């Protein structure tokens, strides 16, 4: 029994997941896309599994990023694709965690009611202009990232 308690405590400390809806607006073609999925955050790995409109699994582990399609074929990202995918996964993990909003040196935070407005610093500012995070009772409900090319990406937790 004690071993089971230690196991569940360990998992609770280093892993969590949530279902989400992703809404993306691509400014260059004035088109919106919506996907549904789950993000599973572990100590050394992040797995994003999209279920709708089509299956895709993105795995970020150490310094590797791979994508598995609906047929089980795995692609390993390299170069800019790998860099930007890792960057956005890292930002998704941080913006989805309320504690990160309070103590992160990569962005400045201004609170306005239940909305946290973030402005990014350093290299992150080249890829993401700003973000808005909606919070209720110290829990992140959604976050929206605004890119320099006027694209947006919004994650709403279910």
């Amino acid at each position: 029994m004690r071993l089971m308690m230690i196991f569940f405590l360990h998992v609770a400390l280093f892993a969590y997941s949530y279902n989400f809806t992703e809404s993306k607006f691509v400014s260059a073609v004035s088109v919106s896309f919506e996907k549904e999925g789950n993000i599973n955050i572990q100590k050394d790995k992040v797995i994003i599994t999209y279920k709708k409109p089509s299956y895709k699994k993105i795995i970020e582990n150490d310094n590797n990023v791979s994508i598995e399609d609906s047929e089980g074929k795995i692609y390993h990202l390299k170069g800019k694709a790998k860099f930007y995918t890792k960057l956005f996964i890292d930002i998704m993990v941080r913006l989805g965690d309320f504690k990160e909003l309070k103590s992160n040196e990569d962005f400045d935070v201004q609170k306005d009611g239940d909305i946290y407005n973030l402005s990014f610093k350093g290299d992150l500012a080249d890829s993401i202009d700003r973000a808005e995070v909606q919070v209720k009772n110290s829990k992140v409900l959604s976050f929206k990232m605004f890119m320099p090319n006027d694209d947006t990406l919004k994650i709403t937790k279910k």
Side-chain angles (χ1 to χ4, degrees):
M1 181 68 167
R2 189 179 302 170
L3 184 59
M4 291 291 282
M5 292 294 288
I6 292 171
F7 173 75
F8 287 119
L9 181 62
H10 183 331
V11 170
L13 289 175
F14 296 112
Y16 69 95
S17 69
Y18 60 87
N19 294 321
F20 65 89
T21 299
E22 176 182 304
S23 303
K24 185 175 187 176
F25 175 73
V26 180
S27 177
V29 290
S30 296
V31 175
S32 295
F33 301 96
E34 192 165 285
K35 298 179 183 179
E36 292 183 18
N38 175 276
I39 184 167
N40 184 317
I41 302 160
Q42 302 172 14
K43 183 179 179 185
D44 297 325
K45 184 189 318 186
V46 177
I47 302 169
I48 300 172
T49 307
Y50 291 101
K51 299 170 186 169
K52 292 181 182 177
S54 60
Y55 177 88
K56 180 185 349 179
K57 184 185 284 187
I58 302 170
I59 302 167
E60 190 269 327
N61 190 4
D62 295 323
N63 199 26
N64 299 308
V65 178
S66 59
I67 298 176
E68 180 182 331
D69 67 16
S70 61
E71 297 173 0
K73 188 167 183 179
I74 297 174
Y75 305 88
H76 297 279
L77 299 183
K78 296 179 182 173
K80 285 185 178 184
K82 177 180 165 183
F83 172 80
Y84 285 111
T85 302
K86 282 180 67 62
L87 173 76
F88 281 101
I89 290 172
D90 180 53
I91 294 299
M92 284 178 66
V93 169
R94 290 199 258 169
L95 295 184
D97 183 0
F98 181 74
K99 290 180 240 163
E100 286 284 335
L101 298 178
K102 300 248 178 205
S103 63
N104 201 299
E105 59 190 38
D106 289 331
F107 42 80
D108 290 322
V109 179
Q110 292 184 338
K111 186 175 186 266
D112 184 14
D114 287 340
I115 303 293
Y116 287 73
N117 294 297
L118 285 63
S119 55
F120 290 87
K121 299 178 186 176
D123 293 339
L124 291 175
D126 293 338
S127 300
I128 306 170
D129 281 341
R130 62 187 181 87
E132 293 176 354
V133 182
Q134 183 180 8
V135 175
K136 184 173 184 180
N137 298 327
S138 299
K139 301 238 187 257
V140 173
L141 301 177
S142 67
F143 54 90
K144 186 172 185 178
M145 295 180 275
F146 298 84
M147 314 313 164
N149 63 357
D150 294 328
D151 290 1
T152 61
L153 177 69
K154 181 176 183 180
I155 301 293
T156 305
K157 293 183 175 184
K158 293 183 175 186

